[in-house]
């Protein structure tokens, strides 16, 4: 049993089980609105995918220009209600899903999970009901993995079922960490509730508002530079192996 992960930065990763590659929340550009990438630029290999999953519609997770670069045969799972956003670039490849759905594509079984986050594209969006924020539990030929998307710590994480890999968010992209996210300590608790053989922390150390590194140095250190090492420290007493990597790194277990 083996899983290979390449973390491209932020919430973007390629997870391979057997011959199937699933890409999470692809953002492949170096600039995103007011944010700048302070990490290695994803290579063209990030476009090698059999399935793409989108956890929610915020620009740093559902980046339309990046999604437009994937091949015409790649299905894209998107929160139900968000399919209109991708209709022009993806057409019938868009698979709208909601918590409780189970989808089988490209040899993997994808269970759609609830998350605690703002699922709207913008704060002023008027979609009723708003598209739900999502997490995913994926079963492949050579292992299982969990990607909760952006979320707070949830009691029902205990019901997800143990996995081989937890791809868990531990930070954000700005001088504050708002509701709907987990800091490293909560992320470690989430991994414990689910149960995983190993965990790779994501959603940290990638994007930051341009110019704020010098203005908000303490916050930059706490929320951008050190979340990975803090997560590893909390996980030292856990049976789960914490594998902290830099963007662009590939690891297998």
């Amino acid at each position: 049993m083996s899983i290979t992960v390449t973390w491209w930065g932020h919430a973007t990763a390629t997870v391979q089980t057997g011959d199937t590659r699933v890409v999470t929340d692809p953002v492949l550009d170096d600039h995103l609105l007011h944010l700048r990438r302070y990490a290695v630029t994803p290579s063209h290999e990030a476009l090698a995918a059999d399935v793409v999953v989108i956890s929610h519609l915020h620009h740093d997770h559902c980046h339309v220009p990046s999604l437009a670069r994937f091949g015409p045969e790649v299905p894209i799972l998107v929160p139900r209600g968000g399919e209109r956003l991708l209709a022009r670039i993806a057409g019938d490849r868009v698979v709208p899903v909601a918590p409780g759905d189970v989808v089988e594509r490209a040899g993997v079984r994808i269970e759609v999970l609830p998350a605690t986050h703002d699922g709207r594209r913008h704060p002023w969006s008027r979609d009723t009901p708003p598209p739900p924020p999502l997490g995913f539990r994926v079963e492949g030929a050579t292992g299982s993995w969990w990607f909760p998307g952006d979320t707070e710590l949830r009691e029902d994480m205990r019901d997800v079922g143990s996995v081989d890999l937890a791809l868990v968010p531990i930070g954000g992209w700005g001088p504050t960490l708002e509701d709907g996210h987990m800091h490293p300590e909560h992320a470690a608790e989430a991994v414990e509730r689910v149960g995983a053989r190993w965990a790779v922390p994501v959603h940290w150390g990638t994007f930051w508002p341009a110019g704020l590194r010098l203005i908000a140095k303490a916050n930059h250190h706490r929320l951008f530079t050190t979340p990975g090492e803090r997560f590893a420290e909390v996980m030292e007493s856990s049976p789960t192996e914490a594998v902290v990597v830099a963007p662009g790194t590939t690891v297998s277990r």
Side-chain angles (χ1 to χ4, degrees):
M1 303 295 282
S2 175
I3 297 179
T4 299
V5 180
T6 302
W7 180 43
W8 301 109
H10 204 52
T12 307
T14 301
V15 184
Q16 181 167 350
T17 56
D19 295 327
T20 304
R21 297 156 300 184
V22 179
V23 175
T24 63
D25 290 354
V27 178
L28 308 178
D29 291 352
D30 288 339
H31 295 86
L32 179 65
L33 302 177
H34 64 300
L35 304 179
R36 175 183 170 187
R37 185 185 296 270
Y38 292 92
V40 62
T41 303
S43 74
H44 70 280
E45 294 177 2
L47 294 171
D50 299 292
V51 183
V52 171
V53 296
I54 303 298
S55 65
H56 60 289
L57 300 186
H58 289 170
H59 288 270
D60 60 321
H61 292 261
C62 183
H63 186 242
V64 176
S66 294
L67 291 168
R69 295 167 61 186
F70 284 85
E73 74 290 346
V74 180
I76 302 172
L77 274 62
V78 66
R80 185 166 294 147
E83 56 268 30
R84 294 187 300 275
L85 182 64
L86 304 181
R88 183 178 61 82
I89 67 163
D92 58 7
R93 291 187 295 118
V94 177
V95 183
V97 293
D101 289 348
V102 176
V103 175
E104 295 190 6
R105 291 289 191 282
V108 296
R109 179 182 186 273
I110 304 172
E111 181 180 355
V112 185
L113 306 171
T116 302
H117 198 71
D118 183 355
R120 299 172 297 171
R121 180 68 163 172
H122 304 287
W124 53 89
S125 296
R126 297 182 178 180
D127 293 335
T128 304
L134 307 176
F136 302 93
R137 186 186 191 279
V138 182
E139 291 272 359
T142 57
S144 58
W145 54 280
W146 171 62
F147 171 60
D150 277 4
T151 187
E152 297 175 11
L153 190 63
R154 295 174 57 98
E155 188 62 31
D156 61 4
M157 289 174 177
R158 302 183 191 276
D159 303 323
V160 171
S162 61
V163 292
D164 293 295
L165 166 68
L167 199 65
V168 60
I170 64 168
W173 51 253
T176 61
L177 191 62
E178 299 178 349
D179 292 344
H181 299 87
M182 294 188 290
H183 53 63
E185 293 76 18
H186 277 172
E189 172 62 23
V191 171
E192 181 179 339
R193 290 183 181 185
V194 172
R197 184 164 55 88
W198 58 299
V200 174
V202 300
H203 207 271
W204 70 283
T206 306
F207 287 108
W208 197 258
L212 277 189
R213 286 196 303 173
L214 300 178
I215 297 173
K217 291 183 179 180
N219 284 354
H220 181 268
H221 181 76
R222 180 171 62 89
L223 296 175
F224 183 94
T225 305
T226 63
E229 64 187 63
R230 288 163 50 205
F231 178 74
E233 290 173 0
V234 178
M235 294 292 292
E236 285 180 354
S237 59
S238 170
T240 299
E241 178 189 7
V243 181
V244 181
V245 297
T249 302
T250 300
V251 290
S252 298
R253 290 291 188 277

